Amino acid sequence: MAQQTVDAPAYDASSIQILEGLSAVRRRPGMYIGSTDARGLHHLVYEVVDNAIDEVLAGACTEIVVTLHSDGSCSVSDDGRGIPVENHPKYNRPALEIVMTVLHAGSKFDRNAYKVSGGLHGVGVHVVNALSEWFEVRVRRDGQEYFQRYERGAPVAPLQVVGKSDATGTEARFKPDSTVLETVDFDRETIGRRLKELSFLNSGVTIQFHDERVDAHETFHHAGGIAEFVEDINQTSNVLFRPPIYLHAKRDTTDIELAMQYNDGYNETSLAFVNNINTVDGGSHVVGFRAALTRTLNDYARRRGFLKGDKEGLTGEDVREGLASVLSVKVLEPQFEGQTKARLGNSEVKGQVESTVNEKLADYLEEHPAAGQALILKAVQAAQAREAARKARELTRRKGLLEGGGLPGKLADCHSRDPAECELFIVEGDSAGGTAKQGRDREFQAILPLRGKILNVEKARLDKMLENEQVRSLIQAIGIGIGDEQDLANLRYHKVIVMTDADVDGAHIRTLLLTLFYRKMPGLVSEGHVFIAQAPLYRLQKGTRVQYAYTDEEREAALKEFGGMKGVILQRYKGLGEMNAEQLAETTMRPGARTLLRVTVEDAAHANELFQVLMGEEVEPRREYIQEHAVEVTNLDI
Ligand code: 0RA
């Protein structure tokens, strides 16, 4: 069939406006997608996927297929209604072209009531288009198949009819532009996590995910919705009751869904979403949920005689110990606040969530006495442990543990007293510790060697943790305290650097340390003070020429540079202890020469999964998992 042009727009004032809009996006991409790093890159994928999810919310779409192609492009196809193609009177060109090129065009078509706008969300497909080397869109609707291609945001030809089709839907394929983005390398796991999350949050959809670069394929479909999400979070834990508590209600125009289930651990994994956006900084919906949980469980505990009348009752922390929960609300006009726009501001939502949870959770407890008793006993025990921990803290305070009263004997401190320039290297074992001491710059680099097992904090409460010598040394050296008595202002080193062997044991110790920081000194991680030192895996020498390789790929590249294996001495480092002090300094410790990775905590659910697999009983999957996922880090050269 001959290709047929739908509409041939003249090059007029409105097209100039459009091009100006797109070049504004290309000039300041960060303003639209937050940043131009990996996070910004993945934001492009989420933007297109969110548009397909809007079709799901409108009840018009059940299948989404996301593909990472070998040519560096990503495609997202859906079986929704298809982006409208009819002429847009204001611009006198097809609506599709307006959606693809003009600010917030999508929001003009009222596709579903619960819109995501503001902040970094719902910026519009045109932003993805503007930041793509090319973008091809294929729309099936009204019996036709339409196609248009754009390059760096501008259409290269008018919209065309390319065939007939009984189906409806949209297929968008784009190649991110490496001249405006720092990285164009999609991370399968990052994208897969978000797609999985979306499939829990929108139980009717099936999302297929293909990574053609490595021939990996996954299908996400969770008819059980957020209740299944909670089961997934708890999959490696011992749960106190099954199935999770689930409630769903509508208050005014706000749609409220909550699933929760306790496990026998001590930590909380609670996720909250507003219109499918993960509000990591909480907000009014979370405040309402927490207030209702504390109030309802206290009422129940008192009525059932679990709390004596004179006792002060259960605190919020008590009732959230061992809690896994997913709260998903849909709000008509969400106001996202905070620097990363990850907190819900709408104050009316607090009361709506609070009254819903109060009412429905009380009903649940009446109808499920066995589950009620199990969870209330857990909270009462948490309250008792809190009291024990308070006493333990008093004791340790008297011993001077928490307030800089003395430093651990094994610490080789630095001279400088300016925390901003000071660095603490946490090293595995006395022998590597000795080498690090010789190799350091004692002016600003301190060394703390740790010996033996570090306590598994996932399984221990504060009072038990403080009995562990390694943990006490760390707390003393770092200086900010522990538990709810932390003060980041007392941090003694602005860089806390974990330096472990590049083997499985090293990865294990590293993960234990990061678990400790993440769980017990969260401010240290979120403020970016935790780093991982990257030690080389190989040393290559030919004559007087020496080169270090940090990965197998680098080793291969170095061998090539040296002109092959001939005459090359290749040394594989099995541990830090095999390097001499000068080598360790020049490869791993000295600013300017070393590579540090800054530890970020992106995704509480993901971190929880890692820690729980790590702490599980099965050794083999655990080892594999640790090696594969050891830690979420972003590269940072210092
Ligand atoms: C505007 C209006 C309608 C649908 C869409 C946009 C739409 C956009 C995208 C982006 C990816 N997939 C999409 N699917 C649909 C409503 C159309 C109607 O009412 O028929």
Side-chain angles (χ1 to χ4, degrees):
M1 162 176 190
Q3 294 195 350
Q4 160 197 351
T5 295
V6 172
D7 205 344
Y11 189 69
D12 55 15
S14 69
S15 57
I16 291 170
Q17 250 176 30
I18 288 169
L19 292 177
E20 278 173 356
L22 292 171
S23 75
V25 178
R26 291 177 59 81
R27 261 199 314 277
R28 293 184 190 282
M31 295 246 302
Y32 299 86
I33 56 169
S35 62
T36 55
D37 55 11
R39 190 191 284 252
L41 173 76
H42 293 117
H43 204 92
L44 302 184
V45 180
Y46 304 156
E47 183 61 42
V48 182
V49 171
D50 284 352
N51 270 281
I53 291 285
D54 278 345
E55 289 296 287
V56 175
L57 290 176
C61 165
T62 58
E63 280 249 355
I64 298 174
V65 183
V66 178
T67 308
L68 304 176
H69 297 275
S70 303
D71 63 0
S73 68
C74 167
S75 66
V76 178
S77 79
D78 65 65
D79 61 354
R81 291 164 295 185
I83 304 177
V85 293
E86 72 274 6
N87 196 52
H88 191 292
K90 181 177 159 208
Y91 294 90
N92 192 32
R93 54 187 76 225
L96 178 126
E97 201 176 308
I98 303 310
V99 169
M100 293 296 299
T101 52
V102 182
L103 244 86
H104 300 297
S107 59
K108 290 214 183 74
F109 306 86
D110 242 344
R111 279 204 290 157
N112 84 72
Y114 300 112
K115 269 182 282 299
V116 182
S117 53
L120 308 177
H121 308 295
V123 286
V125 187
H126 71 283
V127 167
V128 183
N129 186 20
L131 301 177
S132 294
E133 194 180 309
W134 52 261
F135 193 127
E136 293 181 346
V137 60
R138 201 172 283 278
V139 166
R140 297 180 189 94
R141 64 183 274 153
D142 314 326
Q144 313 269 44
E145 181 171 323
Y146 302 85
F147 175 83
Q148 192 169 27
R149 178 180 164 101
Y150 300 78
E151 287 175 9
R152 308 215 147 97
V156 296
L159 180 67
Q160 306 206 303
V161 173
V162 293
K164 296 216 170 297
S165 175
D166 294 334
T168 65
T170 303
E171 191 180 314
R173 178 165 173 174
F174 65 98
K175 183 161 197 255
D177 189 346
S178 59
T179 65
V180 282
L181 298 162
E182 287 160 51
T183 173
V184 290
D185 187 15
F186 293 118
D187 181 57
R188 179 173 65 258
E189 279 201 40
T190 303
I191 294 170
R193 261 200 312 276
R194 172 66 178 157
L195 297 180
K196 181 174 171 185
E197 184 175 282
L198 282 168
S199 73
F200 282 123
L201 292 166
N202 303 279
S203 57
V205 74
T206 300
I207 305 179
Q208 290 194 49
F209 183 34
H210 307 293
D211 187 346
E212 290 182 346
R213 303 169 305 181
V214 291
D215 201 21
H217 308 275
E218 273 181 286
T219 300
F220 302 112
H221 174 69
H222 295 287
I226 61 168
E228 235 182 293
F229 200 162
V230 165
E231 286 173 342
D232 188 71
I233 293 169
N234 269 338
Q235 68 180 325
T236 58
S237 306
N238 298 316
V239 298
L240 301 190
F241 54 86
R242 267 185 246 271
I245 301 169
Y246 173 80
L247 60 89
H248 183 191
K250 207 162 170 175
R251 286 288 145 103
D252 202 359
T253 55
T254 303
D255 188 278
I256 300 157
E257 245 193 312
L258 171 71
M260 55 183 271
Q261 186 182 42
Y262 285 86
N263 61 55
D264 66 358
Y266 302 117
N267 298 303
E268 178 192 7
T269 306
S270 287
L271 306 175
F273 299 85
V274 175
N275 299 3
N276 286 325
I277 303 294
N278 188 188
T279 42
V280 289
D281 296 329
S284 53
H285 56 326
V286 173
V287 173
F289 166 51
R290 290 184 169 185
L293 185 65
T294 308
R295 152 111 187 258
T296 305
L297 294 196
N298 268 295
D299 284 355
Y300 180 79
R302 268 190 221 292
R303 252 186 307 117
R304 295 290 166 114
F306 290 102
L307 282 176
K308 308 271 173 330
D310 55 339
K311 274 225 184 140
E312 59 189 83
L314 306 166
T315 66
E317 281 191 22
D318 297 338
V319 300
R320 295 196 301 272
E321 191 184 279
L323 174 66
S325 74
V326 175
L327 173 65
S328 173
V329 300
K330 304 266 164 54
V331 179
L332 268 196
E333 305 261 348
Q335 304 294 322
F336 293 105
E337 301 178 343
Q339 210 169 31
T340 51
K341 302 286 175 196
R343 186 174 68 239
L344 182 66
N346 306 50
S347 56
E348 74 280 7
V349 178
K350 172 183 178 283
Q352 293 169 338
V353 173
E354 189 171 349
S355 67
T356 300
V357 176
N358 271 334
E359 197 178 292
K360 303 246 169 185
L361 185 57
D363 290 349
Y364 173 91
L365 293 171
E366 292 308 322
E367 289 159 19
H368 301 81
Q373 168 151 341
L375 70 85
I376 219 71
L377 281 177
K378 166 87 178 155
V380 169
Q381 274 170 17
Q384 289 163 352
R386 173 167 52 82
E387 185 56 18
R390 191 185 59 74
K391 288 189 179 136
R393 226 176 6 246
E394 299 259 283
L395 197 73
T396 48
R397 173 159 322 125
R398 260 178 271 132
K399 285 191 203 154
L401 227 180
L402 297 178
E403 278 145 4
L407 289 168
K410 294 179 296 184
L411 175 73
D413 210 0
C414 53
H415 292 316
S416 168
R417 286 289 162 263
D418 176 8
E421 68 168 13
C422 291
E423 304 180 345
L424 175 67
F425 283 83
I426 302 169
V427 187
E428 168 192 357
D430 285 337
S431 113
T435 314
K437 263 181 228 176
Q438 288 167 35
R440 69 176 170 149
D441 183 332
R442 63 176 62 235
E443 181 52 31
F444 65 97
Q445 295 183 320
I447 310 293
L448 179 67
L450 291 184
R451 196 180 327 111
K453 273 257 148 66
I454 300 157
L455 182 77
N456 172 356
V457 298
E458 179 80 10
K459 290 205 166 147
R461 287 199 175 103
L462 197 56
D463 50 338
K464 283 279 172 302
M465 271 179 53
L466 293 175
E467 286 171 15
N468 181 278
E469 195 196 323
Q470 312 291 334
V471 172
R472 279 210 310 273
S473 298
L474 277 164
I475 297 169
Q476 285 179 313
I478 292 170
I480 63 172
I482 193 84
D484 18 277
E485 308 205 1
Q486 277 177 66
D487 190 353
L488 219 50
N490 295 332
L491 180 60
R492 303 183 63 249
Y493 314 90
H494 280 200
K495 291 199 178 76
V496 174
I497 303 167
V498 178
M499 187 162 74
T500 51
D501 289 343
D503 59 7
V504 172
D505 287 341
H508 192 171
I509 292 171
R510 186 166 72 218
T511 308
L512 281 168
L513 279 169
L514 295 181
T515 309
L516 171 75
F517 295 146
Y518 170 70
R519 293 289 189 196
K520 306 297 174 188
M521 302 181 185
L524 201 63
V525 181
S526 64
E527 293 301 309
H529 292 299
V530 181
F531 297 83
I532 289 173
Q534 290 294 95
L537 290 178
Y538 302 98
R539 179 178 191 272
L540 298 93
Q541 181 167 16
K542 185 172 188 176
T544 55
R545 199 164 147 210
V546 174
Q547 203 160 322
Y548 295 94
Y550 293 77
T551 61
D552 288 344
E553 292 77 45
E554 277 184 32
R555 179 198 61 196
E556 288 313 306
L559 276 175
K560 238 190 214 140
E561 243 180 79
F562 279 162
M565 268 306 292
K566 197 152 179 281
V568 176
I569 304 167
L570 175 66
Q571 183 186 359
R572 189 194 152 88
Y573 292 123
K574 285 185 220 73
L576 300 169
E578 293 178 16
M579 271 181 265
N580 65 35
E582 175 52 26
Q583 288 169 346
L584 185 62
E586 86 181 75
T587 59
T588 316
M589 295 179 70
R590 190 175 297 150
R594 71 189 179 190
T595 303
L596 290 186
L597 301 176
R598 177 178 260 136
V599 175
T600 64
V601 182
E602 287 285 354
D603 182 336
H606 173 61
N608 195 59
E609 193 186 339
L610 170 61
F611 297 144
Q612 290 185 346
V613 173
L614 174 65
M615 300 322 163
E617 307 302 324
E618 305 259 343
V619 176
E620 255 331 294
R622 186 161 88 205
R623 280 182 179 246
E624 282 166 23
Y625 197 92
I626 295 165
Q627 274 176 319
E628 229 180 280
H629 303 247
V631 66
E632 291 280 285
V633 285
T634 52
N635 213 330
L636 179 89
D637 291 308
I638 291 183

